Amino acid sequence: MLEAAEVGNKLDKKTFRKAAPKIRTALLAVQKRIANTPLAPVIVVGGAEGAGKGETISLLLEWMDTRGIETNVVWDPTDEERERPDYWRFWRLLPPRGKIGIFFGSWYTQPIVDRAFKRIDAATFERAMRRIRDFERMLTYETGPVLKFWLHLSREQERKRLKAFAKDPRLRWRLHKDAKKFFKHYDDFRPVDEEMLRLTNTGYAPWTVVEAADNEYRNLTVATTVLQTLEEAAAEAESRARAKRTRRPPALPKPKRANVLRNLNLTQKLSAKQYDKRLAAAQADVGRLTRKLAKRDRALLAIFEGPDAGGKGGAIRRLTGAMSPYIYRVIGIAAPTDEERAHPYLWRFWRNLPRHGRVTIYDRSWYGRVLVERLEGFARREEWQRAYDEINGFEEQITEGGVIVMKFWIAISADEQLKRFKDREVTPFKQYKITEEDWRNRAKWDAYEAAACDMIERTSTSVAPWTLVEGNDKHWARVKVVEAVRDRLCSEE
Amino acid sequence: MLEAAEVGNKLDKKTFRKAAPKIRTALLAVQKRIANTPLAPVIVVGGAEGAGKGETISLLLEWMDTRGIETNVVWDPTDEERERPDYWRFWRLLPPRGKIGIFFGSWYTQPIVDRAFKRIDAATFERAMRRIRDFERMLTYETGPVLKFWLHLSREQERKRLKAFAKDPRLRWRLHKDAKKFFKHYDDFRPVDEEMLRLTNTGYAPWTVVEAADNEYRNLTVATTVLQTLEEAAAEAESRARAKRTRRPPALPKPKRANVLRNLNLTQKLSAKQYDKRLAAAQADVGRLTRKLAKRDRALLAIFEGPDAGGKGGAIRRLTGAMSPYIYRVIGIAAPTDEERAHPYLWRFWRNLPRHGRVTIYDRSWYGRVLVERLEGFARREEWQRAYDEINGFEEQITEGGVIVMKFWIAISADEQLKRFKDREVTPFKQYKITEEDWRNRAKWDAYEAAACDMIERTSTSVAPWTLVEGNDKHWARVKVVEAVRDRLCSEE
């Protein structure tokens, strides 16, 4: 793809000056339209050192309303970033809906540099490219277009540019500190760039490779591509918004006769004596093992799902009771804030990822997407269907980043739930736990069971398997949870 | 104050066990009430090593609904924190309205340790205590009670505790890594603690000094104090919410005949030739000087206020035109997001503070509090009146943290504004800049002028003075802005 950008494209200054005001007006207009859509376009700018990445973006910023654009420079990670999975730093910089995010340095930088300097092999590089495809597909679905520009210079053009920059004291600072080093490896970078372009030039997020030697040609190409892409995206979003949303209740799934949940033996129980003994022993171990997380650059993320009144809160309390209050945080899923709604649905979980040494516990989690959001129709069919894959990818990434992921489904029978609901209504310090919504959810018991089975089937992965917990007996359930955490932490030692 | 907590207070286990369920139920109830108020109570836990800070909070967490509590441990700052003013790390951890934030280690830790080890002198320590008073007063006004517990052990009690902990492998980890070192300096810490308590035991945020040697006494004292304080705060917030808000339009201030704005000579202008020459020279300097910010551990924060159509955007563009797109960000003030509304009004500015080496430019700023919010009645009288002082404190703090603060008021005459409004309505690429609100604001011209004069008078400080810019001639204004930034950066060299 790069050779096609070494053909000598040029644009004379006069043509550029004539075209500029029109494009500028149109860019401002489309930016205003974007502000009223749920889109958050992302612009990635990559390419050769000295190719004019900064200049091009300066021009865009000059032409557009800067207040609606967030420019992000991603280079050396901070220590807060180093203590989180790789993509955390990109997630935290994603623009909110209505705004545009520009990335200099991006999810492409590290894999390309690592591969050019032979720090990673071809397979690892390909894997990184596949992760990029998944990420950009998710972004495209969730918040709209990902525009990618690769500003290309031939070897000879780059050599000339760097020389000119080095000579001129007013330009010298423009060179990245590693520019010279990178240029020495021009021939190592080129095939990597080609491979990267081939593997990530997807239909949903195609690359625009721009011949960068001529300033006017480069700037106009980028500006018009941005304009066209944003105009198309805005028009599409507007027509979607106009289309009357026939808010039909979604078809509720039915559970299979035999399924993983029905196969559970809910009659298992523990005596009070066994409970006390085993719980205390497991808690002591969990206390000891969680204190060691920091030294091992690991974190723990435990999530709890299951029917209302299944005993999630009680199990969580037994788990946190084992830990120092300094290291854990319990997050209950409430309605997302508007900042959270302004980002892809996994954003709120990325932003709350534990640092090394810390423990985060979710009372309900990202699986809401394929449970309540699916059943209540808050997520469209295509949204919850792709969510399984997105969630598996998310868990894989954070596992690689040092986060131990544990997922508990606490199962109870419908009869047991009814008994507990009634109990909650009469016990003073439990009343805060029962609401009308609980009764409404109960009416959809079968559908929840079916959705849960689908979920468990599709998201029980080797890195993050589900632990199914028989919950009719609280003693049994709590001990199973705390012992499971103990065993997992032991196995990770 | 500490001697009063060495009198041998004790509580027998039986009394404790009897009281516990009642307090627990009441805590859950009041927590639920808090969730429906605009309060965000903050609990600070300090005191001796081994005094049971963690145990006490563990108990509170066990008794309450953890999902509504955020526990924060503030010890060594991360590099992202080190590159920001001191209090940035506390601001980012403030709980949102409806939740409770617990702080182990807090704004007290650093000054106490520094003073005990004689790293700072008495005056510097007192200054730090005054800053704490201001911070806690602001918190109390904005988001409700600040509960402060000091768990005290006598020298002998602490010695015994540390010894017992050191002996028992199950308890040893509880000791902070510096516990021993700190105990050696018990006699250095004690007078500092006393002084701290004296200087920060304010009416709005009093200390509760708790004799900590007896677990039951300590835990019950903390729990009942938390309960009572939260109940009072909730009741007050509820009655405020019930009270019919007589939403009378606020009395609009009238400008003085002679004032700093009317004294400006708005006829000053620059020819196109002079403009081009001086602007280019100043921009080159600003470009060079801003690139050096990172090496000097400095950041730049420039804000622009003034009447609509005064030319803020144009001046900002000339300023950013001088800088690398990698380092600056322009933020236009829009309505706060709900997360921003859930925190004190300065929170949104704290969260967006530039890191070292970066430049943040605000198109309108925190001064909205004493301008539009004052005039439209969005802020109550007591809110905007205390804002002057809070803002001065904010700017002082961030200046100390390495942020160079520049404040521009771009003034134009009422006639000039009218001319520009009309021009905006007919020029295609300017139309996005004019709205009906602009016309509404214009009707309050005099009141805005008066509020602006009050503001300039009260917030022109030596660390962050206002630069008044004569804006009728755009050339003059832009050059004045860019040159002012150049001069300031030069003087900071």
Side-chain angles (χ1 to χ4, degrees):
Chain A
M1 289 175 74
L2 293 176
E3 264 181 34
E6 294 180 353
V7 294
N9 276 305
K10 278 189 187 182
L11 192 74
D12 62 293
K13 292 206 165 105
K14 207 175 140 196
T15 313
F16 179 80
R17 268 201 299 272
K18 211 177 144 197
K22 276 186 212 157
I23 296 178
R24 187 180 173 184
T25 309
L27 277 171
L28 282 169
V30 75
Q31 199 183 354
K32 219 180 171 188
R33 285 165 67 194
I34 293 281
N36 295 315
T37 67
L39 302 177
V42 165
I43 300 178
V44 174
V45 187
E49 290 304 317
K53 299 191 282 279
E55 282 163 276
T56 312
I57 296 307
S58 280
L59 187 80
L60 276 187
L61 290 175
E62 200 190 311
W63 284 359
M64 298 175 81
D65 185 353
T66 345
R67 294 171 299 184
I69 303 180
E70 298 181 352
T71 315
N72 303 297
V73 184
V74 186
W75 200 250
D76 301 323
T78 67
D79 58 5
E80 294 193 20
E81 290 172 341
R82 267 189 300 266
E83 287 198 19
R84 304 272 193 342
D86 290 348
Y87 271 48
W88 187 75
R89 51 202 305 234
F90 306 123
W91 276 88
R92 71 197 293 223
L93 295 174
L94 290 178
R97 300 182 195 279
K99 295 209 172 185
I100 296 169
I102 298 180
F103 287 84
F104 291 105
S106 65
W107 33 97
Y108 287 96
T109 315
Q110 199 63 46
I112 290 177
V113 174
D114 284 347
R115 183 67 189 129
F117 287 110
K118 308 267 187 304
R119 289 181 214 133
I120 57 175
D121 63 15
T124 311
F125 179 74
E126 267 190 45
R127 195 158 173 273
M129 296 300 112
R130 273 205 305 279
R131 175 152 297 165
I132 287 176
R133 291 169 66 107
D134 290 345
F135 181 58
E136 292 179 349
R137 190 175 50 238
M138 180 279 302
L139 281 181
T140 308
Y141 276 129
E142 293 270 324
T143 52
V146 179
L147 293 86
K148 307 187 293 192
F149 295 98
W150 191 262
L151 308 194
H152 179 63
L153 293 176
S154 68
R155 191 192 167 85
E156 182 53 21
Q157 285 166 339
E158 187 167 348
R159 195 187 57 76
K160 270 192 206 154
R161 283 242 173 182
L162 296 188
K163 212 171 148 188
F165 278 20
K167 247 195 213 158
D168 189 337
R170 284 169 312 169
L171 294 175
R172 204 176 293 146
W173 63 274
R174 287 215 174 152
L175 290 181
H176 187 271
K177 60 183 162 62
D178 295 330
K180 255 193 178 166
K181 187 171 109 191
F182 284 4
F183 180 63
K184 266 188 207 155
H185 290 267
Y186 187 96
D187 294 336
D188 295 323
F189 272 98
R190 180 141 183 165
V192 176
D193 293 343
E194 285 276 10
E195 182 77 348
M196 176 278 292
L197 291 169
R198 185 177 69 78
L199 290 171
T200 59
N201 193 36
T202 53
Y204 44 86
W207 277 101
T208 306
V209 178
V210 184
E211 187 160 1
D214 181 77
N215 290 350
E216 280 70 29
Y217 174 80
R218 180 195 67 218
N219 288 350
L220 204 73
T221 306
V222 172
T224 50
T225 309
V226 168
L227 177 61
Q228 278 167 16
T229 312
L230 294 188
E231 279 181 342
E232 280 166 25
E236 209 181 301
E238 284 155 359
S239 95
R240 255 202 310 273
R242 266 195 308 274
K244 259 234 155 64
R245 277 193 77 176
T246 48
R247 188 90 158 65
R248 247 193 328 174
L252 294 181
K254 290 207 181 79
K256 290 179 197 150
R257 280 229 184 158
N259 65 43
V260 285
L261 293 179
R262 293 198 182 170
N263 284 351
L264 291 174
N265 175 5
L266 294 178
T267 63
Q268 294 176 98
K269 50 175 73 172
L270 280 184
S271 71
K273 208 177 141 191
Q274 287 174 303
Y275 170 71
D276 285 342
K277 203 179 140 195
R278 282 175 62 177
L279 185 68
Q283 281 186 325
D285 289 338
V286 166
R288 187 175 46 80
L289 292 161
T290 48
R291 288 197 296 282
K292 288 159 95 180
L293 286 169
K295 278 190 193 145
R296 296 175 192 280
D297 288 345
R298 305 301 293 274
L300 174 64
L301 183 52
I303 66 169
F304 288 81
E305 293 280 357
D308 294 318
K312 295 188 293 294
I316 290 173
R317 240 194 301 279
R318 297 318 175 285
L319 191 55
T320 56
M323 300 178 203
S324 156
Y326 302 130
I327 64 166
Y328 72 81
R329 167 162 287 185
V330 180
I331 301 177
I333 291 297
T337 67
D338 60 2
E339 292 187 30
E340 288 168 345
R341 256 190 297 268
H343 289 94
Y345 76 100
L346 282 173
W347 187 77
R348 59 197 299 208
F349 304 105
W350 273 99
R351 79 193 292 214
N352 284 319
L353 281 183
R355 302 184 59 176
H356 290 163
R358 303 294 174 94
V359 177
T360 297
I361 295 168
Y362 274 101
D363 189 339
R364 305 211 179 281
S365 68
W366 46 91
Y367 284 99
R369 190 77 166 181
V370 295
L371 295 170
V372 57
E373 289 188 44
R374 170 185 176 184
L375 297 183
E376 302 293 338
F378 301 147
R380 293 193 307 276
R381 190 179 181 80
E382 62 92 3
E383 287 176 325
W384 62 259
Q385 279 191 328
R386 68 179 151 84
Y388 297 116
D389 186 42
E390 287 165 354
I391 286 172
N392 285 340
F394 169 60
E395 293 173 357
E396 183 188 83
Q397 281 189 57
I398 64 176
T399 303
E400 281 173 26
V403 180
I404 299 166
V405 181
M406 296 209 68
K407 309 187 295 197
F408 293 100
W409 180 269
I410 303 194
I412 51 169
S413 63
D415 292 347
E416 179 65 25
Q417 186 188 51
L418 186 63
K419 213 181 100 204
R420 293 186 187 178
F421 275 11
K422 286 182 175 164
D423 177 49
R424 284 184 174 189
E425 292 188 321
V426 297
T427 311
F429 70 89
K430 288 183 181 170
Q431 279 163 3
Y432 79 98
K433 293 202 279 187
I434 182 104
T435 64
E436 272 183 36
E437 210 188 319
D438 294 329
W439 289 105
R440 274 199 301 277
N441 288 340
R442 185 174 157 78
K444 293 187 180 172
W445 180 277
D446 281 352
Y448 267 93
E449 182 184 316
C453 288
D454 284 352
M455 171 193 84
I456 292 164
E457 193 180 303
R458 284 162 210 206
T459 60
S460 264
T461 58
S462 56
V463 293
W466 277 95
T467 304
L468 305 182
V469 180
E470 302 81 359
N472 273 13
D473 180 67
K474 286 184 178 177
H475 288 165
W476 176 272
R478 291 168 183 177
V479 165
K480 184 160 180 177
V481 165
V482 181
E483 287 186 347
V485 171
R486 190 245 337 251
D487 295 346
R488 180 69 184 278
L489 291 175
C490 269
S491 76
E492 301 276 349
E493 283 275 283
Chain B
M1 287 176 77
L2 293 175
E3 266 180 32
E6 294 180 356
V7 294
N9 276 304
K10 277 189 186 182
L11 192 76
D12 62 293
K13 293 208 164 103
K14 210 176 137 193
T15 315
F16 180 81
R17 268 200 300 270
K18 213 178 141 195
K22 276 184 212 159
I23 296 178
R24 187 180 173 185
T25 309
L27 277 171
L28 282 168
V30 75
Q31 200 184 354
K32 221 182 171 184
R33 284 165 68 195
I34 293 282
N36 294 316
T37 67
L39 302 176
V42 165
I43 300 177
V44 174
V45 187
E49 290 303 317
K53 300 192 281 279
E55 281 162 276
T56 312
I57 296 308
S58 280
L59 188 81
L60 276 186
L61 291 174
E62 200 190 312
W63 283 359
M64 297 176 82
D65 185 353
T66 345
R67 293 171 300 183
I69 302 180
E70 296 182 352
T71 314
N72 303 298
V73 183
V74 187
W75 201 250
D76 301 323
T78 67
D79 59 5
E80 295 193 17
E81 290 171 340
R82 267 190 300 266
E83 288 198 19
R84 305 270 192 346
D86 289 349
Y87 271 47
W88 187 74
R89 51 201 306 235
F90 306 122
W91 276 87
R92 71 197 292 224
L93 295 175
L94 290 179
R97 298 181 197 280
K99 296 211 173 183
I100 296 169
I102 297 179
F103 287 85
F104 292 106
S106 64
W107 34 98
Y108 288 96
T109 316
Q110 198 65 44
I112 291 177
V113 174
D114 283 348
R115 181 68 188 130
F117 288 111
K118 309 267 188 304
R119 286 181 215 133
I120 57 175
D121 62 16
T124 311
F125 180 72
E126 266 189 48
R127 193 156 177 275
M129 294 302 110
R130 273 206 304 281
R131 175 153 295 165
I132 288 177
R133 291 168 67 105
D134 290 345
F135 182 56
E136 292 179 352
R137 190 176 50 239
M138 179 281 301
L139 282 181
T140 308
Y141 276 130
E142 293 270 325
T143 52
V146 178
L147 293 86
K148 307 188 293 193
F149 295 98
W150 191 262
L151 308 193
H152 179 63
L153 293 177
S154 69
R155 191 191 168 85
E156 183 53 23
Q157 285 166 340
E158 186 165 349
R159 196 190 55 77
K160 271 192 202 152
R161 283 241 173 183
L162 296 185
K163 212 172 149 188
F165 278 20
K167 248 194 208 157
D168 189 338
R170 282 168 312 167
L171 293 175
R172 201 177 295 145
W173 63 273
R174 287 215 175 151
L175 290 181
H176 187 269
K177 59 183 165 58
D178 295 331
K180 259 192 177 167
K181 187 171 108 193
F182 285 4
F183 180 64
K184 267 189 208 154
H185 290 267
Y186 187 95
D187 294 337
D188 296 323
F189 271 98
R190 181 140 179 165
V192 175
D193 293 343
E194 285 277 11
E195 182 78 349
M196 175 279 290
L197 290 169
R198 184 177 70 80
L199 291 170
T200 59
N201 194 34
T202 52
Y204 44 86
W207 277 101
T208 305
V209 179
V210 185
E211 188 160 1
D214 181 78
N215 290 349
E216 279 71 29
Y217 174 79
R218 181 195 66 218
N219 289 350
L220 205 71
T221 306
V222 172
T224 51
T225 310
V226 168
L227 178 61
Q228 279 167 15
T229 313
L230 294 187
E231 278 181 344
E232 280 166 26
E236 207 181 301
E238 285 155 359
S239 94
R240 254 203 311 274
R242 266 195 309 272
K244 261 233 151 64
R245 279 192 74 175
T246 48
R247 187 92 161 65
R248 249 193 327 176
L252 294 180
K254 292 210 177 80
K256 293 180 194 147
R257 280 231 182 153
N259 65 42
V260 285
L261 293 179
R262 291 199 184 168
N263 283 350
L264 291 174
N265 174 5
L266 294 177
T267 63
Q268 294 177 95
K269 52 175 73 175
L270 280 183
S271 70
K273 209 176 144 192
Q274 287 172 303
Y275 171 72
D276 285 342
K277 201 177 145 198
R278 284 174 61 176
L279 185 69
Q283 282 186 325
D285 288 339
V286 167
R288 185 174 49 80
L289 292 161
T290 49
R291 288 196 297 281
K292 289 158 97 180
L293 287 169
K295 277 189 193 145
R296 297 176 190 279
D297 288 345
R298 305 302 293 272
L300 174 65
L301 182 52
I303 67 169
F304 289 81
E305 293 281 357
D308 294 320
K312 294 188 293 296
I316 290 173
R317 241 196 300 280
R318 295 322 174 283
L319 191 55
T320 57
M323 300 177 203
S324 155
Y326 302 131
I327 65 165
Y328 74 82
R329 167 163 289 186
V330 179
I331 301 178
I333 292 296
T337 67
D338 60 2
E339 292 188 30
E340 288 167 345
R341 257 189 298 267
H343 289 93
Y345 75 99
L346 283 173
W347 186 78
R348 60 196 299 208
F349 304 105
W350 273 99
R351 82 194 291 215
N352 284 319
L353 281 183
R355 302 185 59 175
H356 290 164
R358 303 294 173 94
V359 177
T360 297
I361 295 168
Y362 274 101
D363 190 337
R364 305 210 179 280
S365 69
W366 45 92
Y367 283 98
R369 190 77 165 179
V370 295
L371 296 170
V372 58
E373 289 188 44
R374 169 185 177 183
L375 298 183
E376 302 292 337
F378 301 146
R380 291 192 309 276
R381 187 177 183 81
E382 62 91 3
E383 287 177 327
W384 62 259
Q385 279 191 329
R386 67 179 152 84
Y388 297 117
D389 187 41
E390 288 165 354
I391 286 172
N392 284 340
F394 169 61
E395 292 174 357
E396 183 188 83
Q397 280 189 57
I398 64 176
T399 303
E400 280 174 26
V403 180
I404 298 165
V405 181
M406 297 207 69
K407 309 187 294 197
F408 292 100
W409 179 272
I410 303 194
I412 50 169
S413 63
D415 291 348
E416 180 65 24
Q417 188 188 52
L418 185 65
K419 210 181 102 202
R420 292 188 189 175
F421 275 12
K422 286 183 176 165
D423 177 49
R424 283 183 173 188
E425 291 188 321
V426 296
T427 311
F429 71 88
K430 288 183 180 171
Q431 279 163 3
Y432 79 100
K433 293 202 278 185
I434 181 105
T435 65
E436 271 183 36
E437 210 187 320
D438 294 330
W439 289 103
R440 274 198 302 276
N441 289 341
R442 183 174 158 78
K444 294 188 180 172
W445 180 277
D446 281 350
Y448 267 94
E449 182 184 317
C453 288
D454 283 352
M455 171 191 86
I456 292 164
E457 191 180 305
R458 283 161 212 206
T459 60
S460 263
T461 59
S462 57
V463 294
W466 277 97
T467 304
L468 305 183
V469 181
E470 301 82 358
N472 272 13
D473 180 67
K474 287 183 179 178
H475 288 165
W476 176 272
R478 291 168 183 176
V479 165
K480 183 161 182 179
V481 165
V482 181
E483 286 186 346
V485 171
R486 188 240 346 246
D487 295 346
R488 179 71 184 275
L489 292 175
C490 268
S491 76
E492 301 276 348
E493 281 276 283

